[in-house]
């Protein structure tokens, strides 16, 4: 059943707020997948608040900045407020998630077993450990607590109907540039540059997808098809990025491998992830045709 845009966005925000705070204890206990879910919720909340601010919502008070950070700015110098604070949180979650995903790919690759697997996973943990300790320090800190408090106060309040009502138009306006950028990135000949540019396309697609999903119940006929295709693109490029990151993380270790057995396993994993990115790229032409064939709002 169709609902008003403000109600749809409000329900979406509350759901993602609950998802974020419910995963925090699981992240602390290092439960598998918890960091990924918490990061996704944080990203979705950032997308919605950024879109609301772009659409004319008065800027929310910034959460308490870290020591030494000017008021109203995030740690990286970008604008503060909830979008800036979620960007800051996502960076810390993303560092741990990167190592988690690579470790998963190592464990799932059959030739990577025995000593080769133990050596590679230990090598990953040497980098993951500090990133996880840093994340736990963030979750224990005043800046994160201020972010959650601000999120709670905003999520439980009404979403302004004016800005929320413009989400459908915002989604439609972003579509052509996304399709054009996707085509340009996929056409790049150099594989490493192409991988980097496809990642930029995915980064551009995330706020469009998140914002569209937040208001989808208010515009079911307008957004159902585009969201399905955009979701498929986002997932495909996510697979591509995870394979690329795994390969780029593992490849430099070929020269550090303690023996030929470990080196051979690393080489096989690198080739496997190279093939995985190629398989994703083989599907991109179909996804581009689907995206280009849609004109949301027309």
């Amino acid at each position: 059943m169709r609902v008003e845009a403000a109600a749809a966005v409000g329900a979406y925000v509350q759901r993602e707020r609950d998802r974020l705070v419910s995963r925090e204890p699981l992240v602390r206990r290092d439960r598998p997948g918890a960091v990924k879910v918490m990061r996704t919720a944080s990203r979705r909340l950032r997308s919605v608040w950024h879109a609301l601010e772009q659409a004319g919502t008065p800027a929310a008070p910034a959460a308490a900045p870290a020591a030494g950070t000017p008021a109203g700015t995030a740690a990286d110098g970008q604008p503060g407020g909830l979008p800036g604070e979620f960007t800051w949180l996502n960076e810390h979650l993303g560092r741990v998630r990167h190592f988690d995903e690579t470790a998963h790919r190592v464990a799932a690759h059959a030739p990577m077993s025995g000593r080769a697997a133990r050596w590679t996973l230990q090598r990953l943990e040497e980098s993951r450990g500090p990133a996880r300790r840093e994340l736990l320090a963030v979750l224990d800190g005043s800046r994160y607590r201020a972010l959650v408090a601000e999120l709670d106060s905003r999520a439980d309040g009404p979403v302004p109907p004016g800005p929320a009502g413009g989400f459908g138009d915002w989604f439609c306006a972003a579509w052509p540039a996304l399709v054009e950028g996707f085509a340009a990135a996929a056409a790049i000949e150099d594989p490493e540059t192409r991988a980097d540019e496809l990642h930029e396309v995915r980064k551009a697609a995330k706020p469009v997808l998140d914002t569209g999903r937040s208001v989808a119940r208010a515009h079911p006929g307008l957004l159902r098809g585009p969201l399905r295709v955009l979701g498929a693109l986002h997932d495909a490029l996510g697979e591509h990025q995870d394979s690329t990151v795994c390969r780029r993380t593992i490849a430099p270790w070929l020269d550090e491998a303690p023996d030929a057995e470990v080196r051979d396993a690393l080489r096989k994993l690198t080739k496997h992830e190279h093939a995985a990115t190629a398989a994703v790229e083989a599907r991109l032409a179909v996804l581009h045709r689907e995206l280009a064939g849609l004109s949301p709002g027309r």
Side-chain angles (χ1 to χ4, degrees):
M1 182 176 69
R2 178 170 176 168
V3 299
E4 293 299 321
V9 174
Y12 185 86
V13 165
Q14 290 175 348
R15 183 171 66 250
E16 296 305 323
R17 182 269 309 270
D18 292 347
R19 196 190 309 271
L20 184 144
V21 299
S22 69
R23 289 318 188 277
E24 180 194 328
L26 301 182
V27 168
R28 292 179 181 277
R29 295 201 289 271
D30 210 10
R31 293 292 179 84
V35 167
K36 179 180 179 180
V37 175
M38 189 175 182
R39 184 170 183 257
T40 298
S42 179
R43 184 204 82 210
R44 291 173 176 174
L45 289 163
R46 180 196 184 281
S47 295
V48 168
W49 253 284
H50 183 60
L52 285 171
E53 290 185 2
Q54 284 186 319
T57 298
T69 302
T73 64
D76 58 3
Q78 296 301 312
L82 281 178
E85 294 301 285
F86 283 126
T87 297
W88 163 76
L89 178 60
N90 285 349
E91 289 174 354
H92 291 282
L93 291 165
R95 292 187 192 117
V96 177
R97 195 259 172 188
H98 154 72
F99 294 113
D100 287 348
E101 178 59 31
T102 299
H104 170 74
R105 289 176 175 271
V106 168
H109 187 56
M112 183 63 72
S113 60
R115 286 193 309 108
R118 289 193 296 272
W119 184 88
T120 306
L121 291 172
Q122 177 59 40
R123 187 72 175 75
L124 281 168
E125 185 57 32
E126 290 173 5
S127 298
R128 182 185 185 272
R132 174 168 163 73
R133 288 192 291 274
E134 184 177 346
L135 174 60
L136 293 179
V138 163
L139 297 181
D140 287 334
S142 60
R143 184 173 179 179
Y144 173 73
R145 290 195 296 273
L147 169 59
V148 173
E150 179 65 18
L151 172 61
D152 285 346
S153 68
R154 297 291 299 278
D156 290 334
V159 172
F167 272 25
D169 293 338
W170 188 88
F171 181 93
C172 296
W175 191 268
L178 188 61
V179 175
E180 182 179 344
F182 177 28
I188 293 173
E189 291 188 7
D190 178 70
E192 297 302 324
T193 303
R194 184 171 62 247
D196 290 337
E197 290 305 309
L198 286 172
H199 181 50
E200 292 301 314
V201 171
R202 185 171 187 250
K203 287 165 62 177
K206 286 178 179 181
V208 183
L209 179 63
D210 296 339
T211 305
R213 283 175 170 168
S214 74
V215 77
R217 291 175 59 205
H219 304 284
L222 175 69
L223 299 181
R224 183 180 295 113
L227 283 173
R228 177 187 60 78
V229 179
L230 189 56
L233 173 65
H234 176 269
D235 292 347
L237 293 183
E239 294 175 30
H240 190 280
Q241 175 65 7
D242 287 343
S243 284
T244 298
V245 168
C246 179
R247 175 175 57 80
R248 289 176 175 177
T249 300
I250 298 300
W253 297 349
L254 286 167
D255 294 334
E256 302 176 22
D259 54 47
E261 178 185 344
V262 175
R263 189 176 304 109
D264 183 59
L266 289 171
R267 186 175 291 111
K268 288 179 179 178
L269 178 58
T270 300
K271 290 181 178 179
H272 173 79
E273 296 300 342
H274 220 342
T277 59
V280 171
E281 290 179 4
R283 295 153 43 196
L284 295 184
V286 173
L287 285 170
H288 180 262
R289 284 197 298 271
E290 290 190 56
L291 256 72
L294 292 168
S295 298
R298 296 181 183 176

